[in-house]
Amino acid sequence: MNIHEYQAKMIFRDYGVTVPEGKPAFSVDEAVEAAKAIGGELWVIKAQIHAGGRGKAGGVKLARTIDEVREHAEDILGKTLVTHQTGPEGQLVRRLYVESGVDIDRELYLGLVVDRENDGVVLMASTEGGVEIETVAEETPEKIHKVVIDPLTGLADFQARQIAFALGLEGKTVFQAVKFMKLLYASFVEKDASTAEINPLVVTTGGELIALDAKMNFDDNALYRQPAVEEFRDESEEDPAELAAKAHGLSYVNLDGNIGCMVNGAGLAMGTMDIIKHYGGEPANFLDVGGGADAETVTEAFKIITGDERVECIFINIFGGIMKCDVIAEGVVAAVEEVGLKVPLVVRLAGTNVEAGRRILQESPFDIVSAESMADGAKKAIELIGG
């Protein structure tokens, strides 16, 4: 689960991580009142969307007067920002964050991420703050400094100092950096985050470290023990199809292709997408109905796939183990009866009660193409859309 910058900064502030003073705003008038309450002579008006690259897209602007605050808020609020993370369709700005300006001396990068290769959390830092970390990794990887944190002992002081020195920090700023990193790590672990990123982390002209930006992602599987974090969920920033899938216990991820996939089991789903790609097709989604799906679940999954206007063919690939093929076949027929069939449908069944399942599909009044194997199903789906 993603959250907005201002929400991440609320968490940081609770843990003692230094952030500028700021207030969220949901209207132009609220943005003006926020600036007045913050005070000072410089404010930053920031679009709040679940995507990076906001500044380059015109979603972050400086204001030196209240009139400029109003002007920028009117310009950004309700605007569709297109960044490298939103895709070409962009993301509508529904809320703003008004923040006090900061005297910046240097811009750095600091981040924490779960690294499964090292079985722990990795602390990453770079002197190239304000630049996408992916760009730094590709063009100047030597400028990214990492330490692997032992989950049993946590971030050690010597590791934090190692990162501080790599960033070129000196004097009292090194001691501040050690404390800063340990507080950030505490927020990361205790809130079950999967990513925490500060880009840029700034050193002020007075030598103070401040998180000028903040990004946090969380492990959905741990949200049951993080009710305060789950309250930050902004469903307007999420894919409606993914929300509908979650409501019915389905695992769904929207992709860019035109062949809709319905599969039981994450491994089989990955294999199905791979074989579609292998034969020159493009999967439109990852959809795992799970091992205990019934006719109702299959119907809901079918609705989600057919609701995607890009889908030109549907490939259902089911291995009957706990889930019997005849039950799946009944669900497919019921789904087609309820939703209708506007695109070709290819079904491959294997496993328990497979013959009964195939018979149900063959005897149905619908034009359902049967496949003998994954490869056969992928080829037929691609052929049916002229691939």
Side-chain angles (χ1 to χ4, degrees):
M1 187 187 86
N2 297 334
I3 62 175
H4 290 291
E5 171 196 357
Y6 77 91
Q7 295 166 331
K9 284 181 174 175
M10 289 171 65
I11 294 174
F12 285 179
R13 191 179 291 113
D14 288 343
Y15 278 83
V17 176
T18 309
V19 298
E21 184 179 359
K23 295 180 180 294
F26 297 84
S27 69
V28 174
D29 288 340
E30 285 185 13
V32 171
E33 291 305 313
K36 290 179 179 178
I38 293 169
E41 299 178 346
L42 179 65
W43 302 272
V44 187
I45 317 303
K46 298 182 174 182
Q48 296 297 285
I49 60 173
H50 289 174
R54 294 169 297 163
K56 292 180 180 179
V60 178
K61 296 188 177 182
L62 295 176
R64 290 178 170 79
T65 67
I66 293 297
D67 287 341
E68 286 186 357
V69 171
R70 179 176 295 278
E71 178 184 337
H72 294 327
E74 289 175 345
D75 179 57
I76 298 173
L77 197 62
K79 180 179 181 179
T80 298
L81 292 185
V82 179
T83 78
H84 66 286
Q85 292 185 4
T86 64
E89 68 279 2
Q91 185 67 43
L92 180 66
V93 180
R94 297 178 175 87
R95 59 185 79 185
L96 303 171
Y97 190 45
V98 181
E99 195 171 58
S100 60
V102 175
D103 292 325
I104 300 172
D105 180 42
R106 296 178 60 202
E107 293 189 0
L108 310 171
Y109 169 89
L110 189 67
L112 288 162
V113 65
V114 175
D115 185 352
R116 289 170 176 80
E117 183 176 336
N118 289 292
D119 297 326
V121 175
V122 169
L123 175 64
M124 302 185 297
S126 176
T127 55
E128 305 301 298
V131 179
E132 288 88 359
I133 196 64
E134 295 85 0
T135 302
V136 179
E138 182 178 349
E139 297 178 358
T140 54
E142 70 279 2
K143 292 184 178 180
I144 298 179
H145 310 280
K146 303 177 183 179
V147 293
V148 180
I149 303 169
D150 188 322
L152 295 179
T153 59
L155 178 61
D157 286 4
F158 80 88
Q159 291 178 309
R161 285 195 297 271
Q162 178 182 332
I163 291 295
F165 293 142
L167 293 175
L169 302 179
E170 299 176 343
K172 66 177 184 180
T173 308
V174 172
F175 296 100
Q176 184 187 158
V178 171
K179 180 180 178 182
F180 188 103
M181 293 179 208
K182 297 193 76 169
L183 293 172
L184 179 66
Y185 177 74
S187 71
F188 181 92
V189 173
E190 293 176 18
K191 293 298 183 183
D192 290 307
S194 55
T195 304
E197 188 176 55
I198 302 173
N199 191 19
L201 167 67
V202 301
V203 183
T204 68
T205 52
E208 185 180 10
L209 287 173
I210 297 180
L212 203 60
D213 193 16
K215 178 180 180 180
M216 292 189 83
N217 297 343
F218 300 89
D219 185 345
D220 284 355
N221 295 311
L223 289 178
Y224 74 94
R225 61 186 186 190
Q226 300 290 350
V229 171
E230 190 163 22
E231 287 181 4
F232 285 147
R233 183 184 291 276
D234 181 2
E235 293 188 350
S236 67
E237 293 282 324
E238 299 184 34
D239 187 322
E242 293 183 11
L243 289 173
K246 182 179 179 182
H248 292 92
L250 302 169
S251 296
Y252 175 88
V253 178
N254 197 5
L255 301 174
D256 298 326
N258 56 2
I259 299 178
C261 304
M262 186 193 302
V263 187
N264 65 322
L268 186 59
M270 295 297 290
T272 302
M273 292 191 297
D274 285 346
I275 204 160
I276 289 173
K277 293 279 288 185
H278 177 73
Y279 288 110
E282 291 292 339
N285 63 269
F286 169 104
L287 197 159
D288 173 14
V289 297
D294 52 19
E296 181 182 352
T297 304
V298 172
T299 300
E300 293 302 326
F302 200 79
K303 287 180 181 178
I304 291 170
I305 293 177
T306 56
D308 186 345
E309 295 180 353
R310 299 169 306 168
V311 171
E312 299 177 16
C313 180
I314 299 172
F315 179 24
I316 298 178
N317 185 18
I318 298 294
F319 180 82
I322 299 174
M323 184 192 306
K324 297 179 175 60
C325 291
D326 55 337
V327 175
I328 288 297
E330 291 171 354
V332 170
V333 172
V336 173
E337 287 179 342
E338 181 175 343
V339 179
L341 191 59
K342 299 178 182 178
V343 298
L345 173 61
V346 179
V347 180
R348 177 256 183 169
L349 299 176
T352 307
N353 293 353
V354 63
E355 295 303 327
R358 290 174 178 172
R359 187 165 54 251
I360 290 170
L361 295 178
Q362 290 169 357
E363 294 174 355
S364 75
F366 305 110
D367 186 15
I368 300 174
V369 179
S370 180
E372 295 296 321
S373 65
M374 286 176 59
D376 183 40
K379 288 178 182 178
K380 286 180 176 177
I382 294 167
E383 289 170 0
L384 286 168
I385 58 176

